[in-house]
Structure formats: C-alpha cells, structure tokens
Amino acid sequence: MSAIPNLNVIEHPVVADLLAEARSRETRPGRFRHVVRRLGALLTYEAARGLPTQDETIETPIEAMTTRRLAYPLVIVPILRAGLVMADGALDVLPDAIVGHVGLFRDESNLQPVGYYQKIPAEAASGPVFVIDPMLATGGSVIEAIRRLDARDHGAVTVVCMVAAPEGVERMGREYPAVAIVAGALDRALNDSGFIVPGLGDAGDRMFGT
Ligand code: PRP
C-alpha cells in the first residue's frame, strides 16, 4: 500500500517483470500488446479483490454445497485508444462484465482531454466500475471519463492503470477522493511535455504502431 491513501501500487515480481518489458523501447508492438493485456488481467485481478459476491448452491459430483459467485453487473470502461488492449486482459478476469467506451485524446498543446466518443451503459451509474487506461499522467483523461459515468457512488469506481504519475494521483485525490487507483507503478514525475518519467512513452502509439 502506498503512502498516498487512494493509491494501491501492486508490488509483485510478475507485474514488475511485465512492466520492465513495457517500458523498454526495444519492445515492439506485438509484444507490447501482449504485455499490456497481461498487465490488464493482473491489475484488474487485484482491483477486483473487494468485489461483492453472491451465494449460489451448486452440486459437485459428490454433494450439494453453497459457493460464492461474482455479483454482476460489473462494468469495465476502457479509455480509447490505449485502454482497449488492457481491457481485453480485464475481461479475461471478469468475462461477463459490461463494457462501456469513452474516446478521449489529450491535446498535446494544453494537455486537456478532448472527447470524441462515448457509450456508457446505465449500469455504470450504480454498479462497480473499472476505468481502464495504461497511463495516469495529469489525470485529466481519467477525471473526464469518471465525470461521464454519472456514478451515484464514486466509491464503486476504481481506476486501473499500469503507470501513474504523482501529479495525476494527487489530482485524483482532490477531485475524486472516493475513487481507488490500482497501479503497477508510481513513477517519478511528469516532464515539461506532460509525459510520465521514466514512464513507457505513448502507450497508444506503441500498441498500435502509430
Ligand atoms: C494517453 C493515455 C491516457 C492519457 C493520459 O492517451 O493513454 O489516456 O494520455 O494523460 P492524462 O492523464 O494527462 O490525461 P492519448 O491522449 O495519447 O490517446 P491515445 O490513447 O489515443 O493514444
């Protein structure tokens, strides 16, 4: 657990190893997407720890028993583009989640998010929601995505990211203190161009070869 109350950095050797591959400039798009998908699964697995379950009685080959099942509906909201591949990994863990989409790009002249698409299911207003994006830099994109959810209880919203910058985490703490952030790493800072340092570059460009 991090010193920042709303942030949970997953300290795990497997996560660290995958992040090392994602960060390396030598990693090409095919491998990069593979690594991002796996991190999406592992980080969502950790983020899902507090999810509610419901009892269900089943028959094993031996006898009847009461088991716990995930309580759906659950909602996953990738921020396009870079969140898409990570969301595939999240769906490996929560296969019957409903998927909403928010399309945003960051205007590099002022670092403000610009919206170009959204399709958000009604369940996002009430159920557990995982907002997925590899990078939390200034926090502007994630904050804009959360605003669009119209969530009644922000405590039901969790942000899942691979790499976070302190600036974005602190801003999230001010604007949405009830929203938990699960991250693979907390990096040093943002540079003058708003990129995370050391970071991994532009995740969308790297996964789609643009
Ligand atoms: C990147 C990244 C986040 C955002 C982070 O997306 O995937 O969505 O920037 O920056 P912020 O926290 O300062 O808002 P980008 O704008 O490059 O779009 P893309 O996913 O289409 O590449």
PDB file of all heavy atoms in Angstrom, residues 79-83 104-108 111 113 116 133-142 190 194 202-205, ligand 1:
ATOM      1  N   ILE A  79     -10.590   3.647 -21.652  1.00  0.00           N
ATOM      2  CA  ILE A  79     -10.464   4.942 -22.320  1.00  0.00           C
ATOM      3  C   ILE A  79      -9.704   4.695 -23.617  1.00  0.00           C
ATOM      4  O   ILE A  79      -8.565   4.204 -23.613  1.00  0.00           O
ATOM      5  CB  ILE A  79      -9.720   5.963 -21.430  1.00  0.00           C
ATOM      6  CG1 ILE A  79     -10.480   6.164 -20.109  1.00  0.00           C
ATOM      7  CG2 ILE A  79      -9.549   7.286 -22.179  1.00  0.00           C
ATOM      8  CD1 ILE A  79      -9.808   7.125 -19.139  1.00  0.00           C
ATOM      9  N   LEU A  80     -10.376   4.999 -24.734  1.00  0.00           N
ATOM     10  CA  LEU A  80      -9.770   4.798 -26.050  1.00  0.00           C
ATOM     11  C   LEU A  80      -8.653   5.830 -26.250  1.00  0.00           C
ATOM     12  O   LEU A  80      -8.784   6.966 -25.771  1.00  0.00           O
ATOM     13  CB  LEU A  80     -10.822   4.967 -27.139  1.00  0.00           C
ATOM     14  CG  LEU A  80     -12.147   4.222 -26.970  1.00  0.00           C
ATOM     15  CD1 LEU A  80     -13.028   4.462 -28.192  1.00  0.00           C
ATOM     16  CD2 LEU A  80     -11.917   2.758 -26.746  1.00  0.00           C
ATOM     17  N   ARG A  81      -7.634   5.395 -26.998  1.00  0.00           N
ATOM     18  CA  ARG A  81      -7.450   4.082 -27.575  1.00  0.00           C
ATOM     19  C   ARG A  81      -6.747   3.108 -26.639  1.00  0.00           C
ATOM     20  O   ARG A  81      -6.968   1.906 -26.683  1.00  0.00           O
ATOM     21  CB  ARG A  81      -6.508   4.190 -28.805  1.00  0.00           C
ATOM     22  CG  ARG A  81      -6.980   4.947 -29.983  1.00  0.00           C
ATOM     23  CD  ARG A  81      -5.846   5.057 -30.998  1.00  0.00           C
ATOM     24  NE  ARG A  81      -4.727   5.817 -30.452  1.00  0.00           N
ATOM     25  CZ  ARG A  81      -3.521   5.889 -31.018  1.00  0.00           C
ATOM     26  NH1 ARG A  81      -3.271   5.215 -32.131  1.00  0.00           N
ATOM     27  NH2 ARG A  81      -2.559   6.610 -30.496  1.00  0.00           N
ATOM     28  N   ALA A  82      -5.803   3.655 -25.848  1.00  0.00           N
ATOM     29  CA  ALA A  82      -4.838   2.775 -25.187  1.00  0.00           C
ATOM     30  C   ALA A  82      -5.487   1.815 -24.200  1.00  0.00           C
ATOM     31  O   ALA A  82      -4.930   0.760 -23.909  1.00  0.00           O
ATOM     32  CB  ALA A  82      -3.760   3.610 -24.499  1.00  0.00           C
ATOM     33  N   GLY A  83      -6.671   2.166 -23.690  1.00  0.00           N
ATOM     34  CA  GLY A  83      -7.321   1.284 -22.722  1.00  0.00           C
ATOM     35  C   GLY A  83      -7.876   0.014 -23.331  1.00  0.00           C
ATOM     36  O   GLY A  83      -8.179  -0.945 -22.605  1.00  0.00           O
ATOM     37  N   LEU A 104     -11.201   9.518 -25.771  1.00  0.00           N
ATOM     38  CA  LEU A 104     -10.581  10.798 -25.411  1.00  0.00           C
ATOM     39  C   LEU A 104      -9.167  10.810 -25.975  1.00  0.00           C
ATOM     40  O   LEU A 104      -8.495   9.784 -25.966  1.00  0.00           O
ATOM     41  CB  LEU A 104     -10.447  10.941 -23.884  1.00  0.00           C
ATOM     42  CG  LEU A 104     -11.702  10.947 -23.014  1.00  0.00           C
ATOM     43  CD1 LEU A 104     -11.295  10.861 -21.544  1.00  0.00           C
ATOM     44  CD2 LEU A 104     -12.499  12.217 -23.254  1.00  0.00           C
ATOM     45  N   PHE A 105      -8.731  11.940 -26.462  1.00  0.00           N
ATOM     46  CA  PHE A 105      -7.288  12.091 -26.685  1.00  0.00           C
ATOM     47  C   PHE A 105      -6.848  13.363 -25.996  1.00  0.00           C
ATOM     48  O   PHE A 105      -7.655  14.259 -25.758  1.00  0.00           O
ATOM     49  CB  PHE A 105      -6.934  12.107 -28.185  1.00  0.00           C
ATOM     50  CG  PHE A 105      -7.413  13.322 -28.933  1.00  0.00           C
ATOM     51  CD1 PHE A 105      -6.642  14.476 -28.979  1.00  0.00           C
ATOM     52  CD2 PHE A 105      -8.642  13.318 -29.585  1.00  0.00           C
ATOM     53  CE1 PHE A 105      -7.083  15.603 -29.656  1.00  0.00           C
ATOM     54  CE2 PHE A 105      -9.088  14.437 -30.264  1.00  0.00           C
ATOM     55  CZ  PHE A 105      -8.309  15.581 -30.299  1.00  0.00           C
ATOM     56  N   ARG A 106      -5.582  13.382 -25.680  1.00  0.00           N
ATOM     57  CA  ARG A 106      -5.037  14.525 -24.965  1.00  0.00           C
ATOM     58  C   ARG A 106      -4.494  15.510 -25.978  1.00  0.00           C
ATOM     59  O   ARG A 106      -3.635  15.162 -26.789  1.00  0.00           O
ATOM     60  CB  ARG A 106      -3.931  14.023 -24.026  1.00  0.00           C
ATOM     61  CG  ARG A 106      -3.609  14.950 -22.914  1.00  0.00           C
ATOM     62  CD  ARG A 106      -2.689  14.285 -21.923  1.00  0.00           C
ATOM     63  NE  ARG A 106      -1.355  14.037 -22.470  1.00  0.00           N
ATOM     64  CZ  ARG A 106      -0.266  13.944 -21.720  1.00  0.00           C
ATOM     65  NH1 ARG A 106      -0.348  14.046 -20.407  1.00  0.00           N
ATOM     66  NH2 ARG A 106       0.902  13.727 -22.259  1.00  0.00           N
ATOM     67  N   ASP A 107      -5.001  16.729 -25.950  1.00  0.00           N
ATOM     68  CA  ASP A 107      -4.475  17.790 -26.812  1.00  0.00           C
ATOM     69  C   ASP A 107      -3.079  18.139 -26.291  1.00  0.00           C
ATOM     70  O   ASP A 107      -2.940  18.658 -25.179  1.00  0.00           O
ATOM     71  CB  ASP A 107      -5.410  19.003 -26.737  1.00  0.00           C
ATOM     72  CG  ASP A 107      -4.936  20.148 -27.631  1.00  0.00           C
ATOM     73  OD1 ASP A 107      -3.729  20.210 -27.933  1.00  0.00           O
ATOM     74  OD2 ASP A 107      -5.776  20.980 -27.998  1.00  0.00           O
ATOM     75  N   GLU A 108      -2.065  17.814 -27.090  1.00  0.00           N
ATOM     76  CA  GLU A 108      -0.695  17.964 -26.575  1.00  0.00           C
ATOM     77  C   GLU A 108      -0.289  19.428 -26.396  1.00  0.00           C
ATOM     78  O   GLU A 108       0.710  19.711 -25.738  1.00  0.00           O
ATOM     79  CB  GLU A 108       0.307  17.219 -27.465  1.00  0.00           C
ATOM     80  CG  GLU A 108       0.108  15.690 -27.495  1.00  0.00           C
ATOM     81  CD  GLU A 108       0.174  15.008 -26.112  1.00  0.00           C
ATOM     82  OE1 GLU A 108       0.776  15.576 -25.182  1.00  0.00           O
ATOM     83  OE2 GLU A 108      -0.402  13.904 -25.975  1.00  0.00           O
ATOM     84  N   LEU A 111      -2.592  19.815 -22.904  1.00  0.00           N
ATOM     85  CA  LEU A 111      -2.747  18.607 -22.090  1.00  0.00           C
ATOM     86  C   LEU A 111      -4.185  18.380 -21.623  1.00  0.00           C
ATOM     87  O   LEU A 111      -4.430  17.599 -20.690  1.00  0.00           O
ATOM     88  CB  LEU A 111      -1.786  18.623 -20.874  1.00  0.00           C
ATOM     89  CG  LEU A 111      -0.298  18.765 -21.190  1.00  0.00           C
ATOM     90  CD1 LEU A 111       0.534  18.684 -19.913  1.00  0.00           C
ATOM     91  CD2 LEU A 111       0.167  17.702 -22.183  1.00  0.00           C
ATOM     92  N   PRO A 113      -8.004  16.865 -22.053  1.00  0.00           N
ATOM     93  CA  PRO A 113      -8.641  15.767 -22.785  1.00  0.00           C
ATOM     94  C   PRO A 113      -9.719  16.290 -23.732  1.00  0.00           C
ATOM     95  O   PRO A 113     -10.473  17.204 -23.387  1.00  0.00           O
ATOM     96  CB  PRO A 113      -9.270  14.925 -21.669  1.00  0.00           C
ATOM     97  CG  PRO A 113      -9.461  15.861 -20.538  1.00  0.00           C
ATOM     98  CD  PRO A 113      -8.385  16.908 -20.636  1.00  0.00           C
ATOM     99  N   TYR A 116     -14.251  12.313 -28.094  1.00  0.00           N
ATOM    100  CA  TYR A 116     -14.742  12.082 -29.447  1.00  0.00           C
ATOM    101  C   TYR A 116     -15.731  10.936 -29.513  1.00  0.00           C
ATOM    102  O   TYR A 116     -16.315  10.685 -30.562  1.00  0.00           O
ATOM    103  CB  TYR A 116     -13.589  11.853 -30.435  1.00  0.00           C
ATOM    104  CG  TYR A 116     -12.661  10.713 -30.092  1.00  0.00           C
ATOM    105  CD1 TYR A 116     -12.924   9.426 -30.528  1.00  0.00           C
ATOM    106  CD2 TYR A 116     -11.515  10.929 -29.329  1.00  0.00           C
ATOM    107  CE1 TYR A 116     -12.069   8.377 -30.221  1.00  0.00           C
ATOM    108  CE2 TYR A 116     -10.656   9.887 -29.013  1.00  0.00           C
ATOM    109  CZ  TYR A 116     -10.930   8.624 -29.460  1.00  0.00           C
ATOM    110  OH  TYR A 116     -10.090   7.581 -29.144  1.00  0.00           O
ATOM    111  N   ASP A 133      -7.024   2.447 -18.171  1.00  0.00           N
ATOM    112  CA  ASP A 133      -6.146   3.227 -19.057  1.00  0.00           C
ATOM    113  C   ASP A 133      -4.712   2.922 -18.642  1.00  0.00           C
ATOM    114  O   ASP A 133      -4.404   2.953 -17.450  1.00  0.00           O
ATOM    115  CB  ASP A 133      -6.444   4.723 -18.902  1.00  0.00           C
ATOM    116  CG  ASP A 133      -5.849   5.551 -20.028  1.00  0.00           C
ATOM    117  OD1 ASP A 133      -4.739   5.232 -20.504  1.00  0.00           O
ATOM    118  OD2 ASP A 133      -6.487   6.544 -20.420  1.00  0.00           O
ATOM    119  N   PRO A 134      -3.817   2.613 -19.575  1.00  0.00           N
ATOM    120  CA  PRO A 134      -2.456   2.284 -19.143  1.00  0.00           C
ATOM    121  C   PRO A 134      -1.774   3.400 -18.366  1.00  0.00           C
ATOM    122  O   PRO A 134      -0.958   3.126 -17.489  1.00  0.00           O
ATOM    123  CB  PRO A 134      -1.708   2.024 -20.465  1.00  0.00           C
ATOM    124  CG  PRO A 134      -2.756   1.669 -21.439  1.00  0.00           C
ATOM    125  CD  PRO A 134      -3.992   2.430 -21.022  1.00  0.00           C
ATOM    126  N   MET A 135      -2.096   4.652 -18.687  1.00  0.00           N
ATOM    127  CA  MET A 135      -1.334   5.743 -18.078  1.00  0.00           C
ATOM    128  C   MET A 135      -2.228   6.770 -17.415  1.00  0.00           C
ATOM    129  O   MET A 135      -3.216   7.227 -17.986  1.00  0.00           O
ATOM    130  CB  MET A 135      -0.490   6.431 -19.143  1.00  0.00           C
ATOM    131  CG  MET A 135       0.587   5.505 -19.664  1.00  0.00           C
ATOM    132  SD  MET A 135       1.697   6.350 -20.763  1.00  0.00           S
ATOM    133  CE  MET A 135       0.597   6.858 -22.035  1.00  0.00           C
ATOM    134  N   LEU A 136      -1.838   7.150 -16.197  1.00  0.00           N
ATOM    135  CA  LEU A 136      -2.460   8.253 -15.478  1.00  0.00           C
ATOM    136  C   LEU A 136      -1.373   9.326 -15.373  1.00  0.00           C
ATOM    137  O   LEU A 136      -0.455   9.192 -14.568  1.00  0.00           O
ATOM    138  CB  LEU A 136      -2.904   7.780 -14.089  1.00  0.00           C
ATOM    139  CG  LEU A 136      -3.555   8.802 -13.188  1.00  0.00           C
ATOM    140  CD1 LEU A 136      -4.962   9.126 -13.649  1.00  0.00           C
ATOM    141  CD2 LEU A 136      -3.597   8.286 -11.752  1.00  0.00           C
ATOM    142  N   ALA A 137      -1.451  10.322 -16.229  1.00  0.00           N
ATOM    143  CA  ALA A 137      -0.392  11.346 -16.264  1.00  0.00           C
ATOM    144  C   ALA A 137      -0.851  12.575 -15.489  1.00  0.00           C
ATOM    145  O   ALA A 137      -0.700  12.628 -14.266  1.00  0.00           O
ATOM    146  CB  ALA A 137      -0.028  11.654 -17.715  1.00  0.00           C
ATOM    147  N   THR A 138      -1.455  13.560 -16.164  1.00  0.00           N
ATOM    148  CA  THR A 138      -2.013  14.699 -15.413  1.00  0.00           C
ATOM    149  C   THR A 138      -3.288  14.287 -14.678  1.00  0.00           C
ATOM    150  O   THR A 138      -3.746  14.984 -13.775  1.00  0.00           O
ATOM    151  CB  THR A 138      -2.393  15.864 -16.350  1.00  0.00           C
ATOM    152  OG1 THR A 138      -3.477  15.451 -17.190  1.00  0.00           O
ATOM    153  CG2 THR A 138      -1.223  16.302 -17.204  1.00  0.00           C
ATOM    154  N   GLY A 139      -3.897  13.167 -15.113  1.00  0.00           N
ATOM    155  CA  GLY A 139      -5.171  12.725 -14.548  1.00  0.00           C
ATOM    156  C   GLY A 139      -6.370  13.280 -15.297  1.00  0.00           C
ATOM    157  O   GLY A 139      -7.508  12.874 -15.042  1.00  0.00           O
ATOM    158  N   GLY A 140      -6.123  14.179 -16.242  1.00  0.00           N
ATOM    159  CA  GLY A 140      -7.228  14.832 -16.936  1.00  0.00           C
ATOM    160  C   GLY A 140      -8.155  13.855 -17.650  1.00  0.00           C
ATOM    161  O   GLY A 140      -9.387  13.989 -17.585  1.00  0.00           O
ATOM    162  N   SER A 141      -7.585  12.858 -18.323  1.00  0.00           N
ATOM    163  CA  SER A 141      -8.404  11.912 -19.095  1.00  0.00           C
ATOM    164  C   SER A 141      -9.266  11.053 -18.175  1.00  0.00           C
ATOM    165  O   SER A 141     -10.463  10.866 -18.416  1.00  0.00           O
ATOM    166  CB  SER A 141      -7.509  11.015 -19.958  1.00  0.00           C
ATOM    167  OG  SER A 141      -6.757  11.807 -20.865  1.00  0.00           O
ATOM    168  N   VAL A 142      -8.666  10.526 -17.130  1.00  0.00           N
ATOM    169  CA  VAL A 142      -9.420   9.668 -16.208  1.00  0.00           C
ATOM    170  C   VAL A 142     -10.516  10.486 -15.509  1.00  0.00           C
ATOM    171  O   VAL A 142     -11.652  10.016 -15.350  1.00  0.00           O
ATOM    172  CB  VAL A 142      -8.449   9.023 -15.191  1.00  0.00           C
ATOM    173  CG1 VAL A 142      -9.169   8.567 -13.950  1.00  0.00           C
ATOM    174  CG2 VAL A 142      -7.728   7.847 -15.847  1.00  0.00           C
ATOM    175  N   LEU A 190       6.019  14.100 -14.014  1.00  0.00           N
ATOM    176  CA  LEU A 190       5.761  14.430 -15.412  1.00  0.00           C
ATOM    177  C   LEU A 190       6.877  15.339 -15.905  1.00  0.00           C
ATOM    178  O   LEU A 190       7.388  16.172 -15.143  1.00  0.00           O
ATOM    179  CB  LEU A 190       4.432  15.196 -15.543  1.00  0.00           C
ATOM    180  CG  LEU A 190       3.159  14.449 -15.146  1.00  0.00           C
ATOM    181  CD1 LEU A 190       1.953  15.364 -15.309  1.00  0.00           C
ATOM    182  CD2 LEU A 190       2.998  13.188 -15.972  1.00  0.00           C
ATOM    183  N   GLY A 194       4.444  16.807 -20.349  1.00  0.00           N
ATOM    184  CA  GLY A 194       3.324  16.076 -19.747  1.00  0.00           C
ATOM    185  C   GLY A 194       3.456  14.572 -19.871  1.00  0.00           C
ATOM    186  O   GLY A 194       2.484  13.849 -19.636  1.00  0.00           O
ATOM    187  N   ASP A 202       4.339   6.770 -25.238  1.00  0.00           N
ATOM    188  CA  ASP A 202       2.912   6.912 -25.529  1.00  0.00           C
ATOM    189  C   ASP A 202       2.336   5.517 -25.773  1.00  0.00           C
ATOM    190  O   ASP A 202       2.601   4.896 -26.811  1.00  0.00           O
ATOM    191  CB  ASP A 202       2.724   7.801 -26.767  1.00  0.00           C
ATOM    192  CG  ASP A 202       1.258   8.084 -27.033  1.00  0.00           C
ATOM    193  OD1 ASP A 202       0.441   7.143 -26.971  1.00  0.00           O
ATOM    194  OD2 ASP A 202       0.922   9.253 -27.320  1.00  0.00           O
ATOM    195  N   ALA A 203       1.584   5.025 -24.802  1.00  0.00           N
ATOM    196  CA  ALA A 203       1.128   3.628 -24.862  1.00  0.00           C
ATOM    197  C   ALA A 203       0.287   3.360 -26.109  1.00  0.00           C
ATOM    198  O   ALA A 203       0.437   2.318 -26.756  1.00  0.00           O
ATOM    199  CB  ALA A 203       0.326   3.285 -23.604  1.00  0.00           C
ATOM    200  N   GLY A 204      -0.597   4.287 -26.459  1.00  0.00           N
ATOM    201  CA  GLY A 204      -1.449   4.086 -27.638  1.00  0.00           C
ATOM    202  C   GLY A 204      -0.616   3.948 -28.901  1.00  0.00           C
ATOM    203  O   GLY A 204      -0.817   3.031 -29.707  1.00  0.00           O
ATOM    204  N   ASP A 205       0.329   4.838 -29.091  1.00  0.00           N
ATOM    205  CA  ASP A 205       1.193   4.772 -30.273  1.00  0.00           C
ATOM    206  C   ASP A 205       1.984   3.469 -30.296  1.00  0.00           C
ATOM    207  O   ASP A 205       2.153   2.843 -31.340  1.00  0.00           O
ATOM    208  CB  ASP A 205       2.171   5.957 -30.294  1.00  0.00           C
ATOM    209  CG  ASP A 205       1.475   7.248 -30.701  1.00  0.00           C
ATOM    210  OD1 ASP A 205       0.345   7.186 -31.230  1.00  0.00           O
ATOM    211  OD2 ASP A 205       2.065   8.324 -30.474  1.00  0.00           O
TER     212      ASP A 205
HETATM  213  C1  PRP B   1      -2.796   8.905 -23.201  1.00  0.00           C
HETATM  214  C2  PRP B   1      -3.099   7.833 -22.179  1.00  0.00           C
HETATM  215  C3  PRP B   1      -4.165   8.454 -21.330  1.00  0.00           C
HETATM  216  C4  PRP B   1      -3.763   9.908 -21.335  1.00  0.00           C
HETATM  217  C5  PRP B   1      -3.040  10.192 -20.048  1.00  0.00           C
HETATM  218  O1  PRP B   1      -3.730   8.862 -24.220  1.00  0.00           O
HETATM  219  O2  PRP B   1      -3.487   6.600 -22.731  1.00  0.00           O
HETATM  220  O3  PRP B   1      -5.477   8.305 -21.876  1.00  0.00           O
HETATM  221  O4  PRP B   1      -2.885  10.113 -22.455  1.00  0.00           O
HETATM  222  O5  PRP B   1      -2.807  11.541 -19.902  1.00  0.00           O
HETATM  223  P1  PRP B   1      -3.537  12.467 -18.836  1.00  0.00           P
HETATM  224  O6  PRP B   1      -3.592  11.714 -17.547  1.00  0.00           O
HETATM  225  O7  PRP B   1      -2.635  13.658 -18.773  1.00  0.00           O
HETATM  226  O8  PRP B   1      -4.905  12.815 -19.345  1.00  0.00           O
HETATM  227  P2  PRP B   1      -3.594   9.719 -25.577  1.00  0.00           P
HETATM  228  O9  PRP B   1      -4.161  11.089 -25.394  1.00  0.00           O
HETATM  229  O10 PRP B   1      -2.182   9.665 -26.062  1.00  0.00           O
HETATM  230  O11 PRP B   1      -4.581   8.972 -26.562  1.00  0.00           O
HETATM  231  P3  PRP B   1      -4.490   7.505 -27.209  1.00  0.00           P
HETATM  232  O12 PRP B   1      -4.898   6.535 -26.144  1.00  0.00           O
HETATM  233  O13 PRP B   1      -5.458   7.565 -28.332  1.00  0.00           O
HETATM  234  O14 PRP B   1      -3.067   7.287 -27.682  1.00  0.00           O
END
